[in-house]
């Protein structure tokens, strides 16, 4: 008997439809799989066989030919275990499937017949909805993730018996619908507070500006001045994620190896901090196998990518940041696949002023020669630094600041409220085309960042003296627009431009 089960496979962050065709006919007992299965899919034969027997069904006698269609696309992963098992049961007439044409199936099987979570459940549910099917059977652990998709029934199953009973119409399982409002209430519960950082009021001001406009930021200062602490608190002052942002971010984490977020809707903005030994592939994504994986620039989508000790990173790993910083996308092309991942993030980097870190510390003597400092700074390319909007000096703290036990500055909640108000003004101004000032193109900058005579003269003088590039000129205008938004001002004043220029004055010192 011939059976056909609907399922999905994932490429990049998108799912494409997949049909599992199982044909059973007399012959020697065997399972033959065709349709470009990878080793993980081929191994499903043993898992499926044991799961069927341990679930109370008989071993599928005769020859069982399993075709994974379309046959010209490679299939990877263990999500096809459950649909293959359902197909074999239907093909051997152990299971009648009145619901088999209305529902897709995905899940990994354990040897005892229980169902384990899989990658890409959210993308699968979206694909099933777009195909017009009624619903999809997913592991219970993936139900919250897939249950956010409206217009499709998400049926959580814990075992092969549950799936078989539902497909046969003998077991009714209520569709799982994620309570999105309850999920979003969990955000910011454990975020560190900005007041925990001693002193550094001007750096906290720069963090506020960066969060309000989505600007990239560089912090430079001696070791132990709080650069990492400040960066880790930036996520807590960013505006709340919208549902669309959460959906897109969850799709990335669902197909990645970041197991901590699998099965759940990602509602907190990601904060990624890779080690300086990270490779180019781990930063941009891809891999040597048949299935690509998102890199750090995609895992930080709608959030923050923090690079500590920036000059210690591999030069090639830093240069791949240029494309996602400009386009918000990363295109990965290999011999076996071509995928595009979303990669719109805030880049926050920290570095010492010299190899020993003491060049700007008035209490410690720098032991570095001029040549060592130049070589250290030379590890960073000018084009990369040109794409960073805010350059902020983080000085060593005085004893009075360290000994002061009072809360330092406004809380993260207070700062987030002002940041949210500024972002709301930007969304309204750009009518949804841009979400923040940092993403403006040159044409929009010229239209919405008009300067008065005094501000224009100030900027002209700064460009002539500091040698700003054309990109730096646009970034000064974007930052000035953000400063005006924080003050709820429609016009960019001279003091907004002055503060924006201040955040570029490290250009000459670094380069």
């Amino acid at each position: 008997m011939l059976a056909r089960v609907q399922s999905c496979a994932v490429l990049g962050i998108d799912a494409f439809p997949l049909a599992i065709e199982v044909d059973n006919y007399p012959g020697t007992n065997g399972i033959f799989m065709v349709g470009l299965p990878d080793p993980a899919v081929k191994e499903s034969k043993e898992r499926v066989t044991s799961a069927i027997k341990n679930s109370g069904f008989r071993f599928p006698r005769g020859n069982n030919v399993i075709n994974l269609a379309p046959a010209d696309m490679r299939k990877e992963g263990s999500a096809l275990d459950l649909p293959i098992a359902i197909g074999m049961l239907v093909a051997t007439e152990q299971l009648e499937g009145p619901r088999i044409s209305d529902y897709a199936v995905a899940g990994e099987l354990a040897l005892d017949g229980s169902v384990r979570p899989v990658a890409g459940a959210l993308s699968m549910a979206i694909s099933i909805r777009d195909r017009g099917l009624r619903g999809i059977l997913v592991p219970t652990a993936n139900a919250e993730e897939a249950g956010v998709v409206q217009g499709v029934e998400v049926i959580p199953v814990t075992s092969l018996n549950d799936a078989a009973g539902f497909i046969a119409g003998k077991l009714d399982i209520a569709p799982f619908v994620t309570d999105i409002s309850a999920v979003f209430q969990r955000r910011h519960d454990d975020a560190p507070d900005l007041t925990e950082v001693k002193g550094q009021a001007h750096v906290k001001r720069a963090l506020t500006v960066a969060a309000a406009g989505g600007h990239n930021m560089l912090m430079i200062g001696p070791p132990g001045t709080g650069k990492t602490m400040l960066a880790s608190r930036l996520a807590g002052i960013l505006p709340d994620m919208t549902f669309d942002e959460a959906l897109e971010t969850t799709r990335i984490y669902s197909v990645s190896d970041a197991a901590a977020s699998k099965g759940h809707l990602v509602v907190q903005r990601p904060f990624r901090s890779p080690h300086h030994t990270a490779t180019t592939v781990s930063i941009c994504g891809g891999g040597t196998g048949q299935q690509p994986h998102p890199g750090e620039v995609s895992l930080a989508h709608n959030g923050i990518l923090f690079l500590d000790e920036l000059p210690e990173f591999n030069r090639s790993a830093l240069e791949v940041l240029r494309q996602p910083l400009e386009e918000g996308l990363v295109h990965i092309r290999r011999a076996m696949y071509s995928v595009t991942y979303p990669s719109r993030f805030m880049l926050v980097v920290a570095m010492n002023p010299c190899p020993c870190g003491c060049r700007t510390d008035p209490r410690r003597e720098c032991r570095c020669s001029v040549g060592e400092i130049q070589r250290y700074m030379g590890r960073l390319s000018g084009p990369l630094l040109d794409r960073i909007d805010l350059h902020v000096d983080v000085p060593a703290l005085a004893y009075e600041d360290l000994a002061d036990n009072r809360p330092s500055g406004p809380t993260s909640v207070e700062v987030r409220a002002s940041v949210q108000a500024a972002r709301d003004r930007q969304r309204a101004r750009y009518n949804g085309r841009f979400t923040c000032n940092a993403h403006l193109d040159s044409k929009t900058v010229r239209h919405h960042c008009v300067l008065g005579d005094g501000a224009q003269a100030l900027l002209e003088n700064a460009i002539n003296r500091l040698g700003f590039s054309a990109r730096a000129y646009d970034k000064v205008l974007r930052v000035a627009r953000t400063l005006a938004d924080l003050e709820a001002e429609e016009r960019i004043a001279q003091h907004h431009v002055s503060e924006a220029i201040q955040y570029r004055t490290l250009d000459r010192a670094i380069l």
Side-chain angles (χ1 to χ4, degrees):
M1 180 178 175
L2 178 64
R4 181 184 176 92
V5 182
Q6 301 289 335
S7 188
C8 293
V10 177
L11 179 63
I13 65 170
D14 298 315
F16 61 90
L18 193 65
I20 289 88
E21 301 170 338
V22 182
D23 189 18
N24 177 264
Y25 58 88
T28 57
N29 296 336
I31 300 177
F32 308 96
M33 190 174 296
V34 295
L36 287 182
D38 81 325
V41 179
K42 291 179 180 178
E43 291 175 354
S44 67
K45 295 186 292 186
E46 283 71 26
R47 292 193 297 271
V48 168
T49 300
S50 295
I52 287 176
K53 291 191 296 184
N54 292 328
S55 298
F57 299 97
R58 62 175 173 83
F59 178 79
R61 300 184 182 278
N63 289 328
N64 297 274
V65 179
I66 303 171
N67 179 42
L68 310 176
D72 60 344
M73 298 189 69
R74 183 167 292 277
K75 323 309 183 297
E76 185 174 276
S78 57
L80 302 182
D81 290 2
L82 186 57
I84 289 174
I86 294 294
M88 294 179 68
L89 293 177
V90 173
T92 56
E93 300 181 351
Q94 300 182 68
L95 175 66
E96 294 183 358
R99 293 171 170 170
I100 199 170
S101 61
D102 297 329
Y103 290 86
V105 184
E108 177 185 336
L109 283 174
L111 299 184
D112 62 355
S114 59
V115 181
R116 291 171 174 162
V118 296
L122 176 56
S123 297
M124 292 180 186
I126 294 173
S127 175
I128 294 303
R129 180 197 61 189
D130 296 342
R131 288 161 60 186
L133 294 180
R134 184 174 177 179
I136 180 173
L137 278 67
V138 299
T140 301
N142 292 116
E144 179 184 309
E145 171 189 341
V148 302
V149 181
Q150 298 180 351
V152 63
E153 294 182 5
V154 176
I155 308 299
V157 295
T158 59
S159 65
L160 175 58
N161 282 324
D162 286 351
F166 181 83
I167 291 295
K170 298 178 180 179
L171 177 65
D172 289 327
I173 302 176
F176 188 94
V177 179
T178 303
D179 187 348
I180 298 176
S181 60
V183 173
F184 271 81
Q185 288 177 356
R186 298 200 299 250
R187 57 189 170 190
H188 304 308
D189 289 343
D190 54 352
D193 197 88
L194 200 59
T195 57
E196 298 169 359
V197 182
K198 302 289 186 180
Q200 308 295 9
H202 72 289
V203 186
K204 294 178 183 179
R205 165 67 175 177
L207 285 174
T208 303
V209 175
H215 301 290
N216 303 321
M217 181 174 174
L218 163 68
M219 292 182 287
I220 180 169
T225 54
K227 299 187 294 294
T228 303
M229 285 186 66
L230 287 161
S232 64
R233 281 146 180 81
L234 180 56
I237 65 174
L238 287 176
D240 293 336
M241 292 183 76
T242 64
F243 176 72
D244 290 339
E245 289 176 331
L247 205 63
E248 192 171 32
T249 305
T250 303
R251 291 178 67 192
I252 297 172
Y253 275 79
S254 178
V255 302
S256 74
D257 296 328
S261 298
K262 284 190 183 299
H264 302 285
L265 187 67
V266 179
V267 295
Q268 291 188 352
R269 296 193 179 274
F271 181 85
R272 304 293 300 182
S273 180
H275 193 260
H276 62 77
T277 56
T279 63
T280 302
V281 172
S282 68
I283 294 292
C284 71
T288 57
Q290 306 294 339
Q291 179 72 13
H293 295 281
E296 293 292 340
V297 294
S298 298
L299 294 173
H301 182 60
N302 290 321
I304 301 162
L305 178 64
F306 175 56
L307 304 181
D308 201 3
E309 304 296 342
L310 184 66
E312 302 300 330
F313 279 80
N314 184 281
R315 179 74 175 255
S316 61
L318 294 179
E319 294 307 310
V320 300
L321 296 174
R322 293 195 198 180
Q323 184 186 50
L325 285 175
E326 288 293 329
E327 301 180 21
L329 299 169
V330 58
H331 306 286
I332 302 173
R333 291 176 175 86
R334 301 292 185 267
M336 300 298 297
Y337 57 80
S338 176
V339 297
T340 298
Y341 290 116
S343 303
R344 179 70 71 184
F345 57 88
M346 285 180 58
L347 177 65
V348 181
V349 298
M351 60 181 293
N352 295 329
C354 64
C356 75
C358 301
R359 183 160 64 99
T360 59
D361 191 339
R363 295 171 298 183
R364 290 185 289 180
E365 182 180 356
C366 177
R367 303 185 303 271
C368 305
S369 65
V370 174
E372 289 175 334
I373 295 174
Q374 290 178 343
R375 285 190 295 271
Y376 181 76
M377 296 300 181
R379 298 176 188 175
L380 308 178
S381 69
L384 176 62
L385 289 175
D386 215 24
R387 288 170 168 84
I388 299 177
D389 306 6
L390 309 178
H391 301 166
V392 184
D393 183 26
V394 186
L397 291 173
Y399 172 78
E400 291 76 11
D401 294 323
L402 296 173
D404 189 356
N405 293 323
R406 295 173 299 176
S408 178
T411 65
S412 292
V413 174
E414 295 169 341
V415 174
R416 186 166 63 248
S418 63
V419 167
Q420 184 71 61
R423 286 286 186 104
D424 291 341
R425 295 185 190 97
Q426 293 165 43
R427 285 193 176 94
R429 179 188 303 122
Y430 308 127
N431 197 24
R433 185 183 175 194
F434 301 101
T435 58
C436 58
N437 291 325
H439 301 164
L440 300 181
D441 57 27
S442 297
K443 181 179 179 181
T444 310
V445 168
R446 300 296 184 271
H447 185 265
H448 290 285
C449 301
V450 179
L451 305 180
D453 293 339
Q456 188 69 46
L458 176 63
L459 182 55
E460 179 183 0
N461 184 45
I463 289 176
N464 292 334
R465 293 183 60 186
L466 298 178
F468 289 166
S469 66
R471 182 182 289 113
Y473 171 77
D474 279 353
K475 289 192 177 297
V476 169
L477 292 178
R478 293 186 182 102
V479 173
R481 177 69 268 171
T482 299
L483 291 167
D485 289 335
L486 282 170
E487 297 179 3
E489 297 288 345
E490 282 302 318
R491 294 185 59 84
I492 299 176
Q494 186 171 347
H495 68 278
H496 297 142
V497 175
S498 177
E499 184 175 353
I501 293 172
Q502 170 193 319
Y503 293 128
R504 302 294 305 184
T505 52
L506 288 178
D507 276 348
R508 294 175 62 87
I510 292 177
L511 298 177

